[in-house]
Amino acid sequence: MGIIEKLRLDNKKAFVTGGARGIGYNITLALAEAGADVAIVDMDESTAKTSAEEIAKQTGKKIIAVKADVTKKADVDAMIDSVLKAFGRIDVAFCNAGIALNVPAEEMTLEDWNKVININLTGVFLTAQAAGKVMIKQGGGSIINTASMSAHIVNVPQPQCSYNASKAGVIQLTKSLAVEWALKNVRVNSISPGYIGTDLIMNSPLLKPLIEKWCAQSPLHRLGKPEELQAIAVYLAGDASAFTTGSDFGIDGAFTCI
Ligand code: NDP
C-alpha cells in the first residue's frame, strides 16, 4: 500500500472531544475528509449538532454529536456507549477538550486550579482510559491528546500556571499510556500547538492586545491557523503512523525555539 493510501482513514471510527468549535472542529473535519466517521463530543450540544451537520454535508461521512462533560466519568462512559452504538468500534480517540485561565499564581483559588486540571488533565485521562479499554478489547487504536506548547515553555505576559502544569501533565500521561499499551497495539501521542487563531481568539476584543504581543514574540510573526493542525491529526490517526507512539508533536511556527 502506498503512503497516500496509508494516510486515508476510510472505515475508521473516531471521536473528538471539544469538537464543536475551534481546533476540535478542524480536526473533526480533517478526519472526515480523510474518510472517517466521527463523533463530536462536547459540552455545548447545540453547537456540536450544528457542526456535525455542516461536516456531514461537506464530507458525506456519518458525523454525530454527543453531549458529555469530560470531567465526569459517568458522562464519558455514556459517551463511549453512544459512539459504540452508532459506529460499532472506536479506532481514533482525539482528547482535545481544554480551557485556559489567566490568573496570577498568588491569587489563584483552589477552585480555579481544580477547574483547569479537571478539564485539561483529568478529562484527558478519563477519556483516554475509556477509549483505551475499548481499543484493547478490539485489538488496537490510536489516541491523540491535545497538549500545548505551554507544556514546554512559560507563556508571557499572561499568567497561566494551572494551564501550563495541566498540559505538561498531558504529555507525561501520553507517554505513560503509550508504554503501558504498546503491546496491546494502542498508540498514544500528543500534539503541542502554538498560539492558534480560532474564531473565538480572533474575535475577542480582550485578547487583541495579547495577540499583537504573541505575534511579535513569534519567529513567524503570526498565529497558526486551525487548519494547520489537520495534517498531523490525520497522520497520527491512521496506519501511516504505525511506529509512532509516545511522541509529542510541536506545531508552533518555531515559537518554542527561542
Ligand atoms: P475552544 O474553547 O475554542 O473549544 C473548546 C471546546 O471544548 C468548546 O466547544 C468547549 O465547549 C468544549 N469543552 C470545554 N470544556 C469541556 C468539557 N469539560 N467537556 C467537554 N467539552 C468541553 O478551544 P480551542 O479550540 O482553542 O482549544 C482546543 C484544545 O487545544 C484545548 O485543549 C486547548 O488547550 C488546546 N490548545 C489551544 C491553543 C490555541 O491557541 N487555541 C494552543 C494550544 C493548545 P463550551 O463552549 O461549552 O465551553
Side-chain angles (χ1 to χ4, degrees):
M1 196 193 286
I3 184 60
I4 298 301
E5 262 176 279
K6 275 193 196 157
L7 285 165
R8 292 285 315 168
L9 302 177
D10 300 304
N11 301 318
K12 302 256 189 224
K13 312 294 178 190
F15 72 77
V16 180
T17 69
R21 66 167 194 232
I23 291 172
Y25 177 96
N26 281 273
I27 285 168
T28 303
L29 177 60
L31 300 181
E33 280 180 349
D37 292 327
V38 192
I40 292 181
V41 177
D42 210 286
M43 291 227 293
D44 180 348
E45 194 176 19
S46 103
T47 310
K49 277 187 177 152
T50 310
S51 299
E53 279 163 21
E54 273 173 25
I55 295 175
K57 203 169 162 199
Q58 214 173 312
T59 60
K61 301 309 298 183
K62 185 170 177 183
I63 313 293
I64 61 166
V66 182
K67 181 180 163 65
D69 177 346
V70 296
T71 67
K72 296 189 177 136
K73 189 173 173 349
D75 272 26
V76 172
D77 290 344
M79 175 277 283
I80 293 285
D81 286 348
S82 302
V83 177
L84 283 176
K85 203 167 159 208
F87 294 156
R89 53 184 290 117
I90 300 172
D91 301 292
V92 182
F94 218 114
C95 309
N96 165 77
I99 59 160
L101 212 55
N102 295 344
V103 183
E106 70 276 19
E107 290 167 21
M108 187 167 304
T109 62
L110 180 58
E111 200 184 16
D112 280 347
W113 170 267
N114 283 340
K115 189 174 179 193
V116 173
I117 298 296
N118 282 343
I119 296 176
N120 293 10
L121 182 54
T122 309
V124 169
F125 171 68
L126 290 174
T127 313
Q129 183 194 41
K133 278 187 199 171
V134 172
M135 290 172 179
I136 287 168
K137 217 189 261 178
Q138 74 192 13
S142 173
I143 298 174
I144 305 142
N145 300 323
T146 305
S148 168
M149 72 171 173
S150 309
H152 302 273
I153 55 146
V154 174
N155 307 63
V156 288
Q158 71 277 18
Q160 50 173 59
C161 72
S162 58
Y163 184 82
N164 300 345
S166 71
K167 293 299 187 176
V170 167
I171 291 180
Q172 194 62 353
L173 171 65
T174 299
K175 290 182 182 178
S176 306
L177 298 180
V179 171
E180 283 196 41
W181 293 342
L183 292 181
K184 296 179 173 15
N185 201 29
V186 177
R187 298 183 297 105
V188 193
N189 294 287
S190 57
I191 60 168
S192 280
Y195 292 115
I196 302 296
T198 59
D199 290 344
L200 194 78
I201 287 180
M202 297 315 279
N203 295 327
S204 160
L206 268 180
L207 288 180
K208 201 166 180 286
L210 273 180
I211 291 173
E212 281 163 15
K213 289 200 171 88
W214 297 338
C215 288
Q217 290 165 355
S218 163
L220 284 182
H221 291 175
R222 70 169 177 89
L223 305 189
K225 299 173 191 158
E227 59 268 28
E228 289 172 323
L229 301 174
Q230 289 178 322
I232 191 75
V234 170
Y235 166 68
L236 289 174
D239 301 335
S241 57
F243 194 58
T244 306
T245 190
S247 295
D248 179 63
F249 292 82
I251 304 105
D252 62 17
F255 200 102
T256 52
C257 297
I258 51 170

